Amino acid sequence: MQTTLQAKVSKRLLQKADRLFTGTLAGRVIEILQNARRAGASEVTIENKDGLVSVHDNGRGIEDFSKLLDLGDSDWDQAMEKAEDPAGVGLFCLAPRKLTIRSRGLQAVITKDGWTGRPIRLTQVAAEEQGATLIFADEPWVKDLVEKHAVFTGLKVIVDGKDCAHKHFIRGQAVAYPRLGCRIEVCEQQAVGPHHQAFKEHYYHDEVLINFHGQVIAFGYSPVGERLQFLVDMTGQATGLRMMLPARTQPVENKALRELRKVLEIEGYRFIQRRGSHKLTYKEFLRAAELGIELPEAQPRFQTGTLRGDTPEPPEVVMPKDFPLARCYRIHPRLRDTTHRIEANVHLLAACGRFQSPFVPVDIADSYDGYSWAKLPTIDQVWVDLGQEIATDYLLGQKITAVKSIFIHARTSDGKTWESEAPLAVMYDDEAHRSFYNDEHLYVTPEAANELYPSQMWYFCGGFNEEGDTYDTQEYLFEQDLEAFWATVAGPGEYLRRKITSAVAGVEDDWTQITITSDGGVLIHCENGTLRTLRPPHVKKDKST
Ligand SMILES: Nc1ncnc2c1ncn2[C@@H]1O[C@H](COP(=O)(O)OP(=O)(O)OP(=O)(O)O)[C@@H](O)[C@H]1O
Ligand SMILES: [Mg+2]
């Protein structure tokens, strides 16, 4: 019977060690530069020649060759252990390639089974310069790629005779967090240069970049609702921050990472405090205060009018110059529903109505409720009076009725009533059943034909359909339908009259009368008494008849 068990590493892992890495060139560049830096090198020279890559560093050199292929063991010092948490696997990113390593007058040639446990003989070679040299077969280590991973290492890296850029990861003001072994800088996302940007998969995401000694780890975390970039630069002090091994492409969830998140939030708000103005939600404003960071109120953010839409657009509500926001109105939350009928009528009243003093409804996101500027008088009641019906039709499946007149009324919390004629209003046929099918009903006055652009009418009929034809085609077809609708509204025969009068628009304007005869001829009577005759083209008779 078994009485004990003990953790150990099986030799079988050695056979699979090459698969601890994803096998990308970038991964190999990172590991090899990292070893050079850990060995205290200041300069790394890379040469590509005949399918071989040689990497030479001017560090301390290899003290104990046996540590090279000791999976899981390292030969760096104690401080390195605490700061960087070496895993002792990095070199295996080169497996199962043939690798020649030279240092301090010794050379090892590691071949396929050397990687998996066969003893490797060390030979003496002429002691070259200090440091270590690695030679292996690989695709060319091109300068651009190497530079990406060299730029923040602090090393001078030369590829085929050309120097790679080297930069400071943090350029501005940084706050030291020795407990986490890092310094933190916050800046605007657009303030970071291309070398930082290269590590972000998405421009707006990956708000945090950790410079783990030249290897940059990006991850998404936005404690503050603005586009901020958090730069975390590891200092080499002992740290609890750990990256997932072996490739260190993401941070490990632990106490230190939780603490880092907390301080990033604080630094984010402090950055905004220094900057002065912001557009944070009220909740975030309160959160900052809770963290002891006093912020001014957010800059007022609102949209004039209560409807949105870019193409096609609804008629525009204009904010008069220098008109104070405090005199604008917000729709009372009680009136808001999912159908936007109230929003539509309020918007139309403001855009098309005529008033003694300006009536300006605005839309402010609920998340700003709490700021003093967001507290505006409200629109508490909205109703519509319709005149006599003229005709009903469907436009793009939207029921639309022309009526003699439309009045929209809005009562506001300051005791005023705003009312005006409007060319259009949105209603529901049967309020009780409207959740089952869309019985939204548009009402227009004949004046809408002049007061509203076709595109504005199109907006209310559903607008552009992403799944349909091109924008221009859809717009054209809608305009055709709309024209037919207006003709129906105008009365019988009107559509025909419009077609004919639009057709003669091309005739020179000295005509007084145009007659069309039943055989297709057209007689144009001109002012000076002359008569021009247009005949249908002569139709040739078919030869066989
Ligand atoms: N360029 C170098 N100069 C000096 N010693 C080196 C160099 N490269 C590797 N070594 C030695 O080989 C050992 C193994 O390197 P390897 O990259 O496999 O692991 P590591 O760097 O210790 O850990 P990690 O898994 O984090 O890379 C190192 O601990 C170091 O002792
Ligand atoms: Mg290593």
Side-chain angles (χ1 to χ4, degrees):
M1 202 184 76
Q2 267 190 324
T3 54
T4 56
L5 87 162
Q6 185 179 17
K8 59 174 189 162
V9 177
S10 163
K11 267 189 102 178
R12 290 179 64 227
L13 184 58
L14 270 183
Q15 258 137 44
K16 301 171 189 184
D18 56 329
R19 271 179 281 146
L20 291 169
F21 292 88
T22 53
T24 60
L25 176 53
R28 293 190 287 279
V29 171
I30 290 168
E31 290 300 334
I32 301 309
L33 290 182
Q34 184 180 69
N35 282 347
R37 183 185 49 75
R38 286 174 174 173
S42 60
E43 198 173 301
V44 176
T45 316
I46 296 168
E47 261 152 35
N48 296 287
K49 208 173 160 203
D50 305 329
L52 288 181
V53 180
S54 81
V55 182
H56 173 74
D57 69 66
N58 65 353
R60 284 184 297 276
I62 296 160
E63 224 156 276
D64 180 356
F65 270 69
S66 73
K67 290 290 182 353
L68 281 175
L69 295 190
D70 188 328
L71 188 61
D73 201 6
S74 300
D75 198 21
W76 312 115
D77 63 15
Q78 210 40 40
M80 182 69 67
E81 192 65 39
K82 288 207 164 115
E84 298 196 25
D85 171 41
V89 300
L91 202 62
F92 282 89
C93 71
L94 293 179
R97 287 158 212 266
K98 179 181 164 190
L99 168 66
T100 304
I101 302 192
R102 278 200 290 272
S103 184
R104 299 189 181 191
L106 285 177
Q107 168 171 301
V109 179
I110 306 161
T111 51
K112 200 160 170 269
D113 30 352
W115 287 106
T116 55
R118 207 183 70 171
I120 298 151
R121 190 180 303 282
L122 289 175
T123 52
Q124 295 226 297
V125 286
E128 28 174 312
E129 58 282 37
Q130 58 187 143
T133 301
L134 282 73
I135 302 166
F136 47 92
D138 204 345
E139 57 192 286
W141 282 30
V142 289
K143 181 176 165 260
D144 278 356
L145 183 92
V146 173
E147 185 171 75
K148 174 179 174 184
H149 301 286
V151 65
F152 299 126
T153 54
L155 293 168
K156 179 175 183 191
V157 179
I158 303 155
V159 178
D160 293 329
K162 292 200 187 90
D163 288 6
C164 292
H166 51 104
K167 304 248 166 207
H168 290 295
F169 186 70
I170 282 183
R171 309 131 322 142
Q173 241 180 328
V175 182
Y177 281 93
R179 259 164 54 86
L180 290 168
C182 66
R183 315 184 290 146
I184 297 174
E185 182 191 358
V186 184
C187 61
E188 308 286 349
Q189 282 198 349
Q190 70 269 20
V192 299
H195 291 295
H196 289 84
Q197 203 61 54
F199 292 99
K200 295 173 65 174
E201 276 188 38
H202 307 284
Y203 188 89
Y204 290 125
H205 301 297
D206 293 339
E207 294 90 347
V208 184
L209 293 176
I210 301 182
N211 179 30
F212 192 84
H213 313 282
Q215 181 174 359
V216 180
I217 293 115
F219 66 95
Y221 172 59
S222 50
V224 178
E226 289 206 25
R227 300 203 185 288
L228 300 183
Q229 188 72 55
F230 299 91
L231 303 178
V232 180
D233 197 22
M234 304 309 296
T235 54
Q237 291 157 296
T239 179
L241 289 172
R242 293 282 177 260
M243 303 303 144
M244 199 169 98
L245 294 171
R248 298 191 173 86
T249 49
Q250 68 186 82
V252 172
E253 282 299 336
N254 62 11
K255 202 166 147 247
L257 185 64
R258 284 190 291 278
E259 196 177 332
L260 177 68
R261 285 209 181 89
K262 255 192 221 152
V263 306
L264 290 179
E265 183 186 27
I266 292 171
E267 288 304 325
Y269 284 122
R270 285 196 181 140
F271 171 79
I272 283 173
Q273 188 186 44
R274 285 194 298 275
R275 194 182 63 189
S277 74
H278 67 91
K279 43 186 197 257
L280 298 177
T281 63
Y282 190 63
K283 209 171 137 197
E284 290 172 313
F285 169 83
L286 293 181
R287 172 68 180 150
E290 192 183 317
L291 294 169
I293 301 158
E294 278 313 316
L295 296 180
E297 287 205 346
Q299 299 282 92
R301 280 169 74 77
F302 60 90
Q303 182 211 261
T304 310
T306 49
L307 288 182
R308 287 163 194 275
D310 20 284
T311 43
E313 277 180 84
E316 194 188 359
V317 174
V318 181
M319 172 74 80
K321 202 169 170 292
D322 300 329
F323 192 72
L325 181 61
R327 284 180 59 196
C328 299
Y329 296 97
R330 285 176 82 182
I331 294 178
H332 194 286
R334 180 171 39 79
L335 292 193
R336 280 186 234 150
D337 63 8
T338 52
T339 60
H340 301 300
R341 175 180 54 104
I342 299 284
E343 279 91 337
N345 291 335
V346 165
H347 188 97
L348 285 159
L349 176 63
C352 308
R354 281 178 238 310
F355 305 99
Q356 300 280 316
S357 60
F359 171 60
V360 188
V362 294
D363 186 24
I364 295 175
D366 293 347
S367 53
Y368 290 113
D369 283 342
Y371 288 126
S372 64
W373 54 263
K375 192 164 170 43
L376 301 182
T378 51
I379 297 165
D380 296 341
Q381 204 186 347
V382 179
W383 70 101
V384 178
D385 286 333
L386 299 174
Q388 198 192 335
E389 292 197 6
I390 304 171
T392 294
D393 205 341
Y394 284 86
L395 275 177
L396 299 181
Q398 169 66 59
K399 195 170 179 191
I400 178 166
T401 296
V403 289
K404 290 228 165 111
S405 65
I406 295 173
F407 270 88
I408 302 178
H409 316 257
R411 189 162 293 155
T412 47
S413 60
D414 52 7
K416 294 183 186 163
T417 301
W418 305 83
E419 47 201 349
S420 179
E421 260 185 299
L424 197 152
V426 183
M427 308 281 277
Y428 284 92
D429 277 345
D430 181 354
E431 298 278 321
H433 292 108
R434 75 165 190 263
S435 52
F436 295 106
Y437 53 95
N438 175 23
D439 51 3
E440 186 182 290
H441 196 150
L442 292 189
Y443 287 89
V444 287
T445 62
E447 284 74 45
N450 306 319
E451 280 184 43
L452 298 177
Y453 294 116
S455 67
Q456 296 171 338
M457 294 281 295
W458 187 26
Y459 173 88
F460 288 100
C461 292
F464 176 63
N465 177 359
E466 299 275 349
E467 275 148 38
D469 240 313
T470 64
Y471 188 89
D472 288 348
T473 307
Q474 288 187 38
E475 185 175 32
Y476 174 77
L477 292 175
F478 176 76
E479 284 175 16
Q480 299 290 300
D481 282 3
L482 184 61
E483 208 180 303
F485 171 72
W486 285 129
T488 320
V489 170
E494 175 58 15
Y495 186 64
L496 179 62
R497 190 196 66 77
R498 287 190 190 184
K499 280 267 170 211
I500 295 172
T501 50
S502 74
V504 301
V507 180
E508 277 163 50
D509 55 10
D510 61 344
W511 62 272
T512 54
Q513 193 185 339
I514 297 176
T515 316
I516 302 176
T517 55
S518 60
D519 63 352
V522 175
L523 309 175
I524 304 171
H525 306 264
C526 299
E527 260 169 25
N528 59 7
T530 56
L531 181 70
R532 278 204 284 150
T533 313
L534 307 177
R535 292 252 154 254
H538 191 69
V539 182
K540 274 192 192 139
K541 289 237 165 75
D542 196 58
K543 272 179 194 150
S544 62
T545 52

